[in-house]
Amino acid sequence: MNAPHPQAARNGGESDTRKLFQPARIGDIEVANRVVMAPLTRSRADEAAGDIPGSPMNVEYYRQRSNAGLIISEGTQVSPVGKGYMATPGIYSDEQVEGWKPITQAVHEAGSKIVAQIWHVGRVTHPDLTGGAQPVAPSAIRPNVVAYTRNGKMEVPVPRALSVAEIAEVVQEFRRAAANAIRAGFDGVEIHGANGYLVDQFLRDGANQRTDQYGGSVANRARFALEVIDAVVAEIGAGRVGIRLSPVTPANDLSDSKPQAVFGYLVEELNKRGIAFIHFVEGATGGPRDVPGFDFAWARKAFKGTYIANNGYDRAMAIDAVESGRADAVAFGRLFIANPDLVHRLRHDTVLNAPNPKTFYAPGPEGYIDYPALEAIAA
Ligand code: PHB
């Protein structure tokens, strides 16, 4: 940590003592600063070819944002039935692995680091997105959500409850996805345990009403998440593994009767595994931060790895959170969509571009690689 990181000079890091802009270690991953690019679904993979990323436009999008200390990729499905949105990239086929390579290479050439967010949407999908397969979940409980498909907006159907043997197969899919991520040149993975998708569906009792070893008690509901963690850690090492959690979000119609109990237990168990980071969505995803039910300040103290904070942070909040020690790093989503050079802008407190929600999921370069960067600012 004493020697300047190669990216520090480029970012003016040596002249700026605020912690947000200082190098750090996240598990085994050395980062040039503590600004993280949050995972962002952009629906611009080559769907016809098999949900393959890596077009010149995809590479350029990530290259532009490689001023972040760490980039967390858009969610990448671990299997065809784990896909919930149009044109999201996968990480289960050899062609997808090849597709990711120019992206990870461009990010590394620019001095940044990138982990793959590995994702299974569980019940939050529709057969039009999964190649006709019925969605799967811990229990056959339909969420009140819609899926956006080529055939328009659809109510999602009642999912099929996974058998115990099938749960073991999904754990192996996460394991293979992690191995594929390393093959593709990623620095590690973030398991998507948030926002009402499959891992979260097992954790929270609004979706999990199983009566076997995967449901009921807190330990039983956390079993699937921990089996995924253990498999991924065995494959790539704990220092390259993180998880995203959103203990109180209502996203995707999910809820829990006692979030502190289940997520408190999970944090303690994750400590035993020594994983690199937990990435917390503090509050309602993309919405209010003051949702009761979980004590994030407790989690920050209890968790021994890197605490990445997310949800509604602006510049002043992020600088203060890292300076005061309430977080080790801060992830920005929408601000990174609209500001490819976000770290420079935060450092120099300059004007920010506004994101255009109409192009978040639209195909093509507009609203993807055409947000302007400021002229380079002398450090
Ligand atoms: C979305 O595409 O809107 C989306 C995807 C994954 C999330 C949250 C939102 O975790």
Side-chain angles (χ1 to χ4, degrees):
M1 283 263 272
N2 291 331
H5 186 282
Q7 200 187 25
R10 191 179 140 232
N11 286 339
E14 289 164 280
S15 62
D16 194 327
T17 56
R18 287 169 300 185
K19 274 187 168 178
L20 183 64
F21 304 110
Q22 292 297 308
R25 281 188 82 91
I26 300 178
D28 292 346
I29 306 168
E30 282 187 44
V31 296
N33 60 64
R34 300 153 195 223
V35 178
V36 175
M37 179 172 158
L40 295 159
T41 290
R42 305 306 310 275
S43 290
R44 285 165 170 93
D46 188 343
E47 189 163 62
D51 297 330
I52 296 173
S55 68
M57 169 176 88
N58 299 153
V59 176
E60 176 63 8
Y61 167 76
Y62 281 103
R63 191 197 59 74
Q64 288 176 349
R65 288 160 181 75
S66 295
N67 53 106
L70 179 67
I71 294 173
I72 302 171
S73 82
E74 64 202 286
T76 70
Q77 58 269 11
V78 302
S79 67
V81 75
K83 176 183 176 183
Y85 301 84
M86 284 186 278
T88 54
I91 192 145
Y92 52 88
S93 77
D94 288 342
E95 293 77 10
Q96 292 160 351
V97 170
E98 289 307 310
W100 282 111
K101 284 181 180 173
I103 294 174
T104 60
Q105 188 182 341
V107 169
H108 290 148
E109 279 169 8
S112 185
K113 301 290 166 72
I114 182 167
V115 297
Q117 195 197 50
I118 55 177
W119 187 24
H120 192 306
V121 299
R123 65 183 189 165
V124 183
T125 190
H126 185 279
D128 285 358
L129 293 163
T130 60
Q134 186 184 1
V136 296
S139 303
I141 303 167
R142 197 188 81 81
N144 185 20
V145 300
V146 294
Y148 294 87
T149 80
R150 302 268 164 228
N151 302 316
K153 197 167 134 180
M154 306 280 195
E155 283 203 346
V156 307
V158 179
R160 188 169 65 72
L162 290 162
S163 71
V164 169
E166 287 174 321
I167 291 172
E169 286 170 23
V170 179
V171 170
Q172 291 311 310
E173 288 169 357
F174 274 98
R175 180 185 184 119
R176 276 196 295 277
N180 285 343
I182 299 300
R183 275 208 292 145
F186 285 99
D187 297 288
V189 301
E190 172 178 279
I191 292 158
H192 195 341
N195 295 342
Y197 300 111
L198 185 65
V199 172
D200 203 17
Q201 290 159 29
F202 273 90
L203 287 167
R204 295 201 268 169
D205 57 19
N208 184 347
Q209 299 189 358
R210 297 178 74 97
T211 54
D212 61 7
Q213 66 268 39
Y214 290 98
S217 69
V218 161
N220 280 357
R221 281 186 279 134
R223 191 177 310 282
F224 175 66
L226 292 169
E227 286 181 354
V228 169
I229 289 279
D230 287 339
V232 168
V233 165
E235 190 67 40
I236 69 170
R240 301 197 173 278
V241 177
I243 188 167
R244 194 174 204 220
L245 300 174
S246 55
V248 293
T249 196
N252 287 314
D253 195 23
L254 192 50
S255 61
D256 188 74
S257 53
K258 288 184 184 153
Q260 186 69 43
V262 61
F263 289 92
Y265 171 82
L266 187 58
V267 168
E268 302 283 13
E269 288 298 312
L270 292 172
N271 265 336
K272 295 181 192 165
R273 274 88 177 165
I275 63 167
F277 67 89
I278 304 179
H279 178 189
F280 277 107
V281 180
E282 298 169 336
T285 315
R289 291 177 47 80
D290 59 341
V291 180
F294 185 74
D295 186 346
F296 291 97
W298 169 84
R300 195 281 176 275
K301 290 195 189 75
F303 181 59
K304 296 187 179 71
T306 295
Y307 182 107
I308 304 177
N310 173 246
N311 206 34
Y313 278 80
D314 63 15
R315 178 179 183 276
M317 287 165 69
I319 288 173
D320 183 60
V322 176
E323 210 63 42
S324 67
R326 278 186 288 109
D328 295 306
V330 177
F332 296 90
R334 280 171 290 197
L335 285 181
F336 247 122
I337 289 179
N339 297 276
D341 53 347
L342 183 63
V343 177
H344 299 267
R345 293 182 189 235
L346 296 177
R347 191 190 301 278
H348 296 283
D349 200 9
T350 62
V351 65
L352 296 169
N353 300 322
N356 175 11
K358 290 199 178 73
T359 52
F360 283 178
Y361 310 106
E366 192 196 343
Y368 188 53
I369 54 171
D370 60 353
Y371 286 104
L374 291 171
E375 292 301 309
I377 300 166

